[in-house]
Amino acid sequence: IKSLPMDGISAKAASDQETQDFVANAVHELKTPLSIILGYLENLREPATLDDKDLTQSVLDVMDRHVVRINRIVDEMLIISKLETREKNSLDRGLFNIASCARDVIERLEIVIKKQQVDFDIQIPELEISGDQFYWSQILFNLIENSLKQNPDTAIKIRISGEVNNDESFTIRVFDNGIGIPPPDLPFIFKRFYRVKKHLPKNHIKGSGLGLSIVKQAVEAHGGTITVRSIPNVETLFVIVVPHFKGPIEEIASSA
Ligand code: ADP
């Protein structure tokens, strides 16, 4: 069936529906860890629990993990809401070194990296690009963290590369050779709250499913595009292309 172009009213209805879905999903995602925390809090009030130091510690650990999760969901929702405003000047553009931005991100992920077997290959030129560094850190962080998070127990390769194209656009690629994304899931992974069911860890706290939707929105706010292809256990490759990255800032801002 060919989809018809939307008129103003149905476009608005679709966007209202999207907002409603977002709120309903967000409430659900927050409610689950909150209920768990409340349950454990009740446990903690029991004298039998309080008398047992080890038990108290493990209850506190679980509560801690769920609080961290709530915190992350709220942080990510704030980022989405900022990106949603869609105002050109909601980006805080400036010139920054994209290679050192990638290095900072990897440093932030050091604790996770140390626990895993990762072979990193970073080939990003020492270039100043124009953009909002906060969102670029977020883009790289979410993509690299996903590669790590989805492959906790296997040795993997992660390759991050960047290059300037002939038309002055800039391409960034993030590759890993881990578990990958099954073909039926691929069309949905940029959707909010979408997670690949097969990947949900049994004993770990699941991700929010917001990471890639933030990546996509942040790339688009810079006038760029993001694509993905994945062959499980062979390659998962995200390719970002942003236009006119090198020109004077005013020129870039007006073309965004
Ligand atoms: P999450 O918070 O779950 O990481 P994302 O929006 O970042 O949410 O990712 C959506 C889903 O896409 C993840 O739950 C995961 O199943 C899948 N995914 C993303 N990146 C990768 C990757 N590099 N390898 C395998 N699966 C991935």
Side-chain angles (χ1 to χ4, degrees):
I1 306 166
K2 247 177 133 189
S3 61
L4 298 168
M6 277 198 215
D7 57 39
I9 294 170
S10 45
K12 184 173 181 311
S15 128
D16 286 351
Q17 183 62 44
E18 236 171 66
T19 309
Q20 276 174 23
D21 291 350
F22 181 57
V23 172
N25 280 325
V27 168
H28 173 76
E29 293 290 332
L30 290 169
K31 189 88 189 131
T32 310
L34 261 179
S35 308
I36 295 172
I37 292 168
L38 284 173
Y40 276 91
L41 197 58
E42 230 159 75
N43 259 332
L44 211 52
R45 287 185 194 279
E46 298 286 323
T49 315
L50 282 174
D51 289 344
D52 185 334
K53 270 214 155 113
D54 290 343
L55 185 58
T56 305
Q57 190 58 52
S58 66
V59 166
L60 286 173
D61 287 346
V62 178
M63 287 171 68
D64 187 51
R65 294 213 310 272
H66 287 279
V67 170
V68 168
R69 175 163 152 77
I70 291 177
N71 202 30
R72 176 142 187 187
I73 295 174
V74 170
D75 280 348
E76 290 182 335
M77 285 176 63
L78 277 175
I79 294 175
I80 288 180
S81 121
K82 257 178 92 182
L83 282 166
E84 281 282 91
T85 56
R86 288 257 174 215
E87 289 160 30
K88 271 187 200 162
N89 50 7
S90 72
L91 286 184
D92 190 5
R93 278 186 186 270
L95 286 174
F96 65 95
N97 183 318
I98 185 72
S100 69
C101 176
R103 281 192 292 271
D104 288 349
V105 165
I106 288 167
E107 211 176 291
R108 273 164 62 204
L109 285 163
E110 196 102 314
I111 298 172
V112 191
I113 293 169
K114 275 197 179 135
K115 288 189 201 147
Q116 296 187 214
Q117 264 183 287
V118 193
D119 174 5
F120 259 113
D121 178 12
I122 305 171
Q123 293 184 20
I124 301 187
E126 299 289 333
L127 276 175
E128 298 247 292
I129 76 164
S130 162
D132 189 323
Q133 186 168 0
F134 171 77
Y135 287 119
W136 273 103
S137 306
Q138 199 73 38
I139 290 167
L140 293 174
F141 186 94
N142 288 356
L143 291 176
I144 300 168
E145 192 201 30
N146 273 346
S147 294
L148 294 163
K149 214 165 54 176
Q150 298 302 331
N151 301 286
D153 307 316
T154 34
I156 51 156
K157 218 182 263 172
I158 298 181
R159 204 183 304 133
I160 308 148
S161 62
E163 74 208 25
V164 183
N165 306 308
N166 289 339
D167 65 352
E168 293 290 274
S169 60
F170 188 61
T171 300
I172 289 214
R173 295 187 170 82
V174 179
F175 159 97
D176 74 66
N177 64 348
I179 179 174
I181 300 156
D185 291 286
L186 262 186
F188 306 106
I189 55 161
F190 292 109
K191 286 200 176 302
R192 287 168 187 169
F193 298 110
Y194 190 84
R195 287 166 295 224
V196 176
K197 279 219 174 63
K198 233 175 96 186
H199 292 175
L200 289 185
K202 292 201 176 55
N203 302 315
H204 293 95
I205 295 193
K206 57 187 181 184
S208 65
L210 291 174
L212 285 179
S213 73
I214 290 175
V215 168
K216 185 164 190 279
Q217 244 177 311
V219 168
E220 286 173 355
H222 283 85
T225 56
I226 179 163
T227 51
V228 59
R229 69 166 189 249
S230 182
I231 306 170
N233 300 312
V234 179
E235 75 158 4
T236 296
L237 177 67
F238 288 87
V239 182
I240 295 170
V241 183
V242 269
H244 309 302
F245 85 98
K246 233 174 49 173
I249 299 176
E250 309 80 65
E251 190 188 301
I252 295 163
S254 60
S255 69

